[in-house]
Amino acid sequence: MRFLTNRSVANVARLLVTRAASTQTGTTATAAKPEQRWDLFAGVLVERLPIVSKTLEPLEVSFKDMLSQIELEKSLKSNHELRKEVEKRQLELLKAGKIDLDSEALKQTAQDLEDAYNDEYSKFKPAPRVTEADRKNDTQSLERKLEESLVLLVEQKLGNKNHFLLPQGLHKAGESLRETAERTLKEYCGDSLQVMFYGNAPIGFYKYKYPAEARTNTVGAKVFFFRSVLKQKPGSISNSKLKHKWLSQGELQKQLNDSYYQSVSQFLV
């Protein structure tokens, strides 16, 4: 019995020694693995909201016409229509010699007003929805695709190649990410472009690794995106040397790398 007990103790001791050695080896291996460091960037989504309402689809047109017809059938007559009816009856009575109206009473009738309104309306020409920038496909102009939102892309150098991306800049010590985003936008576009940021928290995230030959102390970049929209009087990009594009969501998908677009599309409206 004593032999079995001693043997069990020996087995337990051997097991503990083995586990301790294994743990020490794992700890050493973990400690030996270099810690990966990443550069922090703040990116900015600058959006120009639609200028005009979207063109109605055929189904929407049919539904709108139906509602207009229902409203017409159930509506009461307007003051203008009632006035026309009164003046029509007065004119008939006047021709029949049954009443005698003052000449000033019918100096400007409802029909005269209606004719004047129709004449003024016939001279009105709505602004075209398709602009000169659309016809020339001028992607640097804000006067294009008025029915859609446009997003700003700027040319940036990553590694040995140039890419069109959302404006992004390296975070500096002492800055908040929101401050980095604001500074980055000014560095790219100048002070003339007037935007409004939505809050202090990022709305999106993307990370990528640098090419092996371009790595120094960091393995890649982590980009935190902030959303902003152009103000009513947005100004313009004062940096004339900046290569940029204002693209719709469909154009973004064709322009951007697939993985980058998948991240950006998560916070596009």
Side-chain angles (χ1 to χ4, degrees):
M1 185 70 176
R2 184 178 301 171
F3 172 74
L4 291 175
T5 302
N6 292 339
R7 186 173 181 180
S8 298
V9 171
N11 288 338
V12 171
R14 189 180 299 109
L15 179 61
L16 291 175
V17 170
T18 303
R19 287 184 177 178
S22 176
T23 303
Q24 185 175 4
T25 303
T27 304
T28 304
T30 303
K33 185 178 179 180
E35 181 183 358
Q36 290 187 339
R37 297 182 59 190
W38 296 77
D39 288 327
L40 292 183
F41 283 79
V44 189
L45 172 74
V46 183
E47 184 179 17
R48 189 221 66 187
L49 298 177
I51 305 299
V52 298
S53 60
K54 280 189 173 292
T55 302
L56 297 180
E57 298 292 336
L59 179 61
E60 294 173 320
V61 173
S62 299
F63 185 68
K64 175 179 174 294
D65 292 342
M66 182 188 70
L67 291 181
S68 298
Q69 184 62 31
I70 293 173
E71 182 181 1
L72 177 63
E73 293 173 357
K74 293 185 176 182
S75 65
L76 300 176
K77 292 181 179 180
S78 66
N79 291 339
H80 177 74
E81 291 171 316
L82 293 174
R83 179 182 171 184
K84 281 183 66 177
E85 291 180 356
V86 170
E87 290 178 352
K88 183 179 179 181
R89 289 195 298 269
Q90 287 177 342
L91 187 59
E92 291 173 352
L93 293 173
L94 184 62
K95 288 180 178 179
K98 295 181 180 181
I99 60 172
D100 184 18
L101 292 178
D102 184 2
S103 60
E104 293 294 327
L106 296 178
K107 188 172 183 179
Q108 187 178 41
T109 64
Q111 187 61 51
D112 293 334
L113 286 173
E114 188 171 327
D115 292 340
Y117 297 153
N118 289 333
D119 182 60
E120 183 178 356
Y121 177 72
S122 66
K123 297 176 182 177
F124 172 74
K125 301 297 180 185
R129 288 175 173 266
V130 178
T131 65
E132 188 67 21
D134 285 316
R135 287 187 283 271
K136 293 181 177 179
N137 195 28
D138 182 5
T139 56
Q140 292 193 346
S141 173
L142 282 169
E143 301 299 322
R144 63 188 297 267
K145 293 190 177 294
L146 303 182
E147 297 182 7
E148 302 180 49
S149 293
L150 297 181
V151 173
L152 174 65
L153 297 184
V154 298
E155 189 178 53
Q156 302 169 66
K157 189 170 185 178
L158 298 180
N160 297 323
K161 296 182 179 180
N162 291 334
H163 302 269
F164 277 96
L165 305 170
L166 300 183
Q168 65 181 44
L170 185 64
H171 175 259
K172 293 182 179 179
E175 286 183 331
S176 67
L177 282 174
R178 160 74 181 264
E179 290 171 338
T180 302
E182 292 175 339
R183 172 179 56 79
T184 296
L185 192 59
K186 286 186 178 181
E187 288 176 353
Y188 276 109
C189 303
D191 296 327
S192 300
L193 195 67
Q194 300 297 313
V195 303
M196 179 180 69
F197 278 84
Y198 285 154
N200 297 318
I203 59 166
F205 170 77
Y206 180 72
K207 70 175 182 179
Y208 57 90
K209 288 189 175 182
Y210 299 142
E213 63 275 9
R215 295 179 189 176
T216 53
N217 298 325
T218 54
V219 296
K222 293 184 177 181
V223 188
F224 295 86
F225 294 104
F226 289 79
R227 187 185 194 87
S228 67
V229 295
L230 293 179
K231 293 184 178 180
Q232 189 171 6
K233 295 182 179 179
S236 60
I237 295 177
S238 56
N239 183 1
S240 58
K241 296 181 180 180
L242 178 68
K243 293 183 179 180
H244 66 281
K245 296 181 179 181
W246 292 98
L247 301 182
S248 64
Q249 187 167 348
E251 293 170 327
L252 285 175
Q253 188 171 8
K254 297 176 182 178
Q255 176 71 55
L256 300 176
N257 174 275
D258 288 341
S259 60
Y260 187 80
Y261 175 76
Q262 288 301 319
S263 294
V264 171
S265 65
Q266 299 300 313
F267 49 86
L268 291 176
V269 178

